[in-house]
Amino acid sequence: MSTASIELVFQALADPTRRLMVERLSRGPATVSDLAEPFAISLSAVVQHLNFLEASGLVHTQKVGRVRTCRIKPAALRGAEQWFAARRTSWERRLDRLADYLAETGDPARKGNA
Amino acid sequence: MSTASIELVFQALADPTRRLMVERLSRGPATVSDLAEPFAISLSAVVQHLNFLEASGLVHTQKVGRVRTCRIKPAALRGAEQWFAARRTSWERRLDRLADYLAETGDPARKGNA
DNA sequence: GTGATACTTAAGTGGCGCCTTCACTATGTC
DNA sequence: GACATAGTGAAGGCGCCACTTAAGTATCAC
């Protein structure tokens, strides 16, 4: 996942309305009106959020007749999830190096504990 | 991870400066000045970002003398990662149900009722 | 003590983000 | 054709957010 994309994904999810829309869509496809229903905002505002979600790559939409059906794109979610995994492994590797260092230098505190 | 917390985490990561600070800290602890070094903004701005990161739970800081040392809090990263995992399983469960439904009613090799 | 370093806090500014309304198009129903 | 439904697009308001500068505090070195 590109830097620009992860940027947009986090920006998209930073807004509570958009995050709830993603949660809704992860349970299955929905129309624009379906998505709008739980919110006390104008349909226009919902469409703007939807456009943002589509630009971020989190959501794909398809218009048939006058109805626009929205679905999540699991790949985008997976990409964001992997960003966290990368941070975690970076952190874990550092701990490993630290452990190696302590083992090599014969850290007394480490030897003393069991 | 609470709703309020995931909110703050995504808001924190939506800003490129803060995201880079998190990436830096996932490679090991740093002082405020260390964190500020790559950025062409005032130290004051960096501290404001840092306060946000601390409020979001992503980062912990500790002041010794006049130096403030910053570390990531892996639990917060893990919590955010799990938000994505939950969406994914929600999506996968739906696919499973769909498969079951097709097996029962739509599959040419269906058995039993109709 | 003096001076330097490492932040810290407060106040102010500019821009962007979320929302609204209103006018509009396109499609489906009768 | 007439009406309803589903969504679109533009223009504007208002608040928040990232940033600045400037002044201040606390610690360290001498």
Side-chain angles (χ1 to χ4, degrees):
Chain A
M1 165 160 282
S2 74
T3 305
S5 188
I6 199 79
E7 175 90 32
L8 286 175
V9 167
F10 285 139
Q11 274 176 23
L13 296 175
D15 182 85
T17 301
R18 284 193 295 263
R19 209 176 49 257
L20 287 171
M21 287 168 78
V22 168
E23 294 185 358
R24 166 65 185 81
L25 288 176
S26 68
R27 292 193 293 274
T31 68
V32 174
S33 302
D34 287 344
L35 279 179
E37 191 269 332
F39 303 107
I41 62 177
S42 71
L43 186 63
S44 193
V46 170
V47 169
Q48 288 172 51
H49 281 306
L50 194 48
N51 290 340
F52 196 113
L53 286 172
E54 200 163 11
S56 77
L58 280 168
V59 167
H60 169 74
T61 74
Q62 183 185 14
K63 196 158 185 176
V64 175
R66 61 185 168 174
V67 176
R68 189 167 160 199
T69 302
C70 314
R71 295 164 208 278
I72 47 160
K73 290 173 75 176
L77 287 178
R78 224 177 302 122
E81 195 176 353
Q82 279 166 2
W83 183 89
F84 289 98
R87 301 289 81 69
R88 198 190 40 196
T89 56
S90 173
W91 177 74
E92 284 165 353
R93 251 207 307 276
R94 190 190 136 258
L95 284 196
D96 285 347
R97 286 198 304 273
L98 183 60
D100 289 349
Y101 172 78
L102 292 179
E104 278 176 23
T105 59
D107 176 55
R110 185 182 158 85
K111 277 183 186 168
N113 284 341
Chain B
M1 165 159 281
S2 73
T3 303
S5 188
I6 200 78
E7 175 90 32
L8 286 175
V9 167
F10 285 138
Q11 274 177 21
L13 296 175
D15 181 85
T17 301
R18 283 193 294 263
R19 207 176 51 257
L20 287 171
M21 288 169 77
V22 167
E23 293 185 359
R24 165 67 187 82
L25 289 176
S26 69
R27 293 194 293 274
T31 69
V32 174
S33 303
D34 287 343
L35 279 179
E37 192 268 333
F39 303 108
I41 61 177
S42 70
L43 186 64
S44 192
V46 170
V47 170
Q48 287 171 51
H49 281 305
L50 194 50
N51 290 339
F52 196 114
L53 286 172
E54 200 162 12
S56 77
L58 279 168
V59 167
H60 169 75
T61 75
Q62 182 184 17
K63 196 157 187 177
V64 175
R66 59 185 168 171
V67 176
R68 187 167 160 199
T69 302
C70 314
R71 296 164 208 277
I72 48 160
K73 291 172 76 176
L77 287 179
R78 225 175 302 124
E81 195 176 352
Q82 280 166 0
W83 183 90
F84 289 99
R87 302 288 82 67
R88 198 192 42 206
T89 55
S90 174
W91 178 75
E92 284 165 353
R93 250 206 308 275
R94 190 191 137 256
L95 286 196
D96 286 346
R97 287 197 304 273
L98 184 60
D100 289 348
Y101 172 79
L102 291 179
E104 281 178 21
T105 68
D107 192 302
R110 70 185 169 194
K111 314 157 180 117
N113 68 353

